[in-house]
Amino acid sequence: MKKLSVICLLGLSITLISWGFKGHRAIATIAQKHLSSNTAYVVSAYLKGEGMADVATWADENKNPKTAAWHYVNLPLGLTREAFVKAISESDNNVYTAILKTEAQLKDKNLSSEQKYEALKYLIHLVGDAHQPMHVSRKEDKGGNTIQVRFDNKGTNLHSLWDSKLIDHEGLSESDIAKNYDVATGTEIKQWQSDSPMEWLWESYQISSELYMNTKPGQQIDEAYYQKYITVIRKRVDQAGIRLAGELNKLFNSATPPTATTATAVPQVAATVTNIKLEDVKNAIGKTVTTQGKVFSSKDIGSMVLVNLGAAYPNQMLTVALKGKAKELGAQLENKMITVEGDVIDYKGKPEIIITDPAKIKF
């Protein structure tokens, strides 16, 4: 236990920012698209209307010395699966234990919504860290930071190469990365979400072990290297997003959002309600809006009634999810023009407003 703790602390002097800005935000965007409707609602409430991508790099930007070791784990090469599991399990301050800790905090009914807000921001980030191979690597080169290489005619190091340089070489925007990398099949999603965080780290360890063999100090990273490993990066980013969604769905699929009684005692400011056109709702994620539109289709799925405005599913401009008492309105809205007020969330790439108060809908 002491040995691994020392290994982790030795890395504190090196800044470890896995996947870079684009990668972390893409992971969060992929995850957001795979949340259940209720999970998306609860997550949005805990994040105070911020999108998951907006907080995805907070844990790096926060630079808290007390949680610096949460982002990675350093291990020697050549461990068997059994030795790997033993080494990580015996440590109490690494990315694995941090993921378990933040998930436990999100389950703890005694914690305030402000404490869970911070825990959720950490979890969104740390799941991404766990899938970056150079965050599960050796202490002697500080996770590849001291292994200098050249790529795109510039000097860099093995860690930075895998954090962002290979991704940046594709020339894709953040949104295009999320779109192009999010290609998991239903079978893959089921398998990946059934894997434990220990499995995620074992995968990263196996990849980093290969990278140490195939990347030498001073090496010129060529197109063949790039083509070989960009496919690995795409899969790791996709896996991180899918698995993050899986963890959040386990935590929040049946949960209720924080209320005034569970929130910290801070002055509450009334939300600003913006009246916008239906076609503009997609640009108002995280905002409280009022909008109008015609109901083209609806579906009762048991726990809620999904009402589609602007067009029938799957081409709707907005989905209104009626829950609780508001669910009773479902049968009355077909083909009617309605006005709805509520918080806009992103559900699988589409804007959605969840309504529990019938007074928030007028027709």
Side-chain angles (χ1 to χ4, degrees), residues 298-346:
S298 63
K299 184 176 182 180
D300 189 334
I301 61 172
S303 61
M304 66 187 78
V305 175
L306 301 177
V307 177
N308 299 307
L309 306 188
Y313 176 86
N315 300 311
Q316 73 275 20
M317 294 183 182
L318 171 68
T319 297
V320 179
L322 305 178
K323 303 181 69 174
K325 292 183 179 180
K327 185 182 174 186
E328 299 172 5
L329 296 176
Q332 306 174 45
L333 302 180
E334 196 71 27
N335 295 318
K336 291 187 178 179
M337 288 292 298
I338 69 171
T339 299
V340 58
E341 177 187 324
D343 300 328
V344 184
I345 64 172
D346 182 300

